[in-house]
Amino acid sequence: KHHHLLWLAHQTPLERSMLILIGVDESQLPGQSDFGGKIQHAALVICFQKLYVSFMFRQYEPMKASAENYFIYEDSTNTWSLLYVHTAQAFISGLAAYWMFRKSKDPKWTHKASKSKLMMKKWAEVNEWNFQNKLYLMEAEEAFCYDDTASAKSLYEKAISSAREHRFINDEALAYELAGYFFLKIDQKDVAVNYFLQAHEKYHDWGAIAKANSLYEFTMSSMYASSPRGQ
């Protein structure tokens, strides 16, 4: 019974996130449960999935609120053994922290991001296939934060190539998208649009139709914007 609840605590919020990315109306989905506090990590997982969805749809304020709560839970939750969940959380929360630093310039976010990147580096050293592309993308976002344009360009390309080589189409899509925001910020709109369209294609191939549509709408509006909208 305990193991069944543990599985539900981790898989139910993940399923909800995937359905939202596909395009299911969130209001039509059932509410989320922390299982009455019976599962130690349930609240953490729910909070992370809220962070993930708002990050993927570039909803900054909801993402920031979820991130604040997520890091509180993370700091107060004992280490646990579900590595496949923990690595995804480190990856996305780290990327979110880099974005929040660029928006707020609050150094607490670079501390959180650096901690996540260090964990990813350790994992990449022992499992290049799964984690190399993620490390490159985190390093690219870090370079973006510190206006290291040359390094950022190189690292985004490495992240894209590694994700493609290792067949992580969702990570390839995300790397294209984040590179697009970088190029938009440095006022290379034509390059940015090309990256966004590549990301749109990959998201569509992955099956994240709502995400693909959202990015396409942003891309079209960016083409006619009078000033850079990079994130």
Side-chain angles (χ1 to χ4, degrees), residues 10-133:
H10 291 96
Q11 294 304 315
T12 303
L14 174 60
E15 180 185 27
R16 181 185 180 90
S17 297
M18 294 302 101
L19 290 171
I20 293 170
L21 288 172
I22 289 169
V24 176
D25 188 337
E26 189 170 0
S27 66
Q28 302 301 312
L29 296 174
Q32 301 189 84
S33 171
D34 65 358
F35 298 90
K38 294 179 181 178
I39 303 299
Q40 182 180 10
H41 311 294
L44 175 71
V45 173
I46 290 171
C47 198
F48 169 72
Q49 291 300 332
K50 289 180 179 179
L51 186 163
Y52 175 67
V53 170
S54 54
F55 173 80
M56 291 299 293
F57 284 98
R58 309 308 283 178
Q59 299 164 339
Y60 180 78
E61 291 301 331
M63 183 201 70
K64 184 174 182 292
S66 295
E68 295 274 10
N69 290 329
Y70 168 77
F71 284 116
I72 290 172
Y73 281 121
E74 184 195 46
D75 289 341
S76 62
T77 302
N78 293 331
T79 302
W80 39 294
S81 59
L82 291 175
L83 185 62
Y84 78 97
V85 178
H86 192 40
T87 55
Q89 291 181 0
F91 180 47
I92 296 299
S93 66
L95 293 176
Y98 284 126
W99 183 17
M100 288 184 284
F101 173 73
R102 289 198 298 272
K103 294 279 283 188
S104 68
K105 302 304 180 185
D106 187 337
K108 78 176 182 181
W109 296 121
T110 54
H111 173 73
K112 296 293 187 183
S114 296
K115 180 180 175 182
S116 294
K117 190 191 75 170
L118 180 60
M119 289 190 290
M120 192 62 63
K121 184 176 181 180
K122 291 179 179 178
W123 294 326
E125 288 172 353
V126 297
N127 191 334
E128 181 179 291
W129 186 282
N130 284 339
F131 303 118
Q132 182 190 68
N133 76 87

Side-chain angles (χ1 to χ4, degrees), residues 50-224:
K50 289 180 179 179
L51 186 163
Y52 175 67
V53 170
S54 54
F55 173 80
M56 291 299 293
F57 284 98
R58 309 308 283 178
Q59 299 164 339
Y60 180 78
E61 291 301 331
M63 183 201 70
K64 184 174 182 292
S66 295
E68 295 274 10
N69 290 329
Y70 168 77
F71 284 116
I72 290 172
Y73 281 121
E74 184 195 46
D75 289 341
S76 62
T77 302
N78 293 331
T79 302
W80 39 294
S81 59
L82 291 175
L83 185 62
Y84 78 97
V85 178
H86 192 40
T87 55
Q89 291 181 0
F91 180 47
I92 296 299
S93 66
L95 293 176
Y98 284 126
W99 183 17
M100 288 184 284
F101 173 73
R102 289 198 298 272
K103 294 279 283 188
S104 68
K105 302 304 180 185
D106 187 337
K108 78 176 182 181
W109 296 121
T110 54
H111 173 73
K112 296 293 187 183
S114 296
K115 180 180 175 182
S116 294
K117 190 191 75 170
L118 180 60
M119 289 190 290
M120 192 62 63
K121 184 176 181 180
K122 291 179 179 178
W123 294 326
E125 288 172 353
V126 297
N127 191 334
E128 181 179 291
W129 186 282
N130 284 339
F131 303 118
Q132 182 190 68
N133 76 87
K134 296 173 177 65
L135 177 61
Y136 282 147
L137 188 54
M138 296 180 83
E139 290 176 337
E141 288 286 282
E142 182 179 48
F144 183 7
C145 286
Y146 294 109
D147 298 320
D148 187 351
T149 301
S151 293
K153 288 180 179 180
S154 174
L155 287 162
Y156 282 122
E157 285 301 321
K158 286 182 177 180
I160 292 166
S161 296
S162 178
R164 183 187 304 119
E165 178 185 354
H166 298 131
R167 300 195 292 276
F168 288 101
I169 193 170
N170 55 319
D171 289 348
E172 186 181 357
L174 182 58
Y176 272 122
E177 180 183 5
L178 297 187
Y181 295 128
F182 164 73
F183 282 105
L184 199 58
K185 186 66 175 179
I186 64 173
D187 206 19
Q188 294 187 25
K189 185 182 293 186
D190 290 344
V191 178
V193 167
N194 179 61
Y195 277 90
F196 287 141
L197 292 177
Q198 292 282 353
H200 171 268
E201 178 182 343
K202 298 301 178 183
Y203 280 128
H204 194 279
D205 291 346
W206 185 39
I209 306 304
K211 169 59 187 176
N213 292 343
S214 175
L215 180 59
Y216 186 78
E217 292 173 4
F218 176 85
T219 304
M220 293 301 101
S221 65
S222 296
M223 289 177 64
Y224 302 105

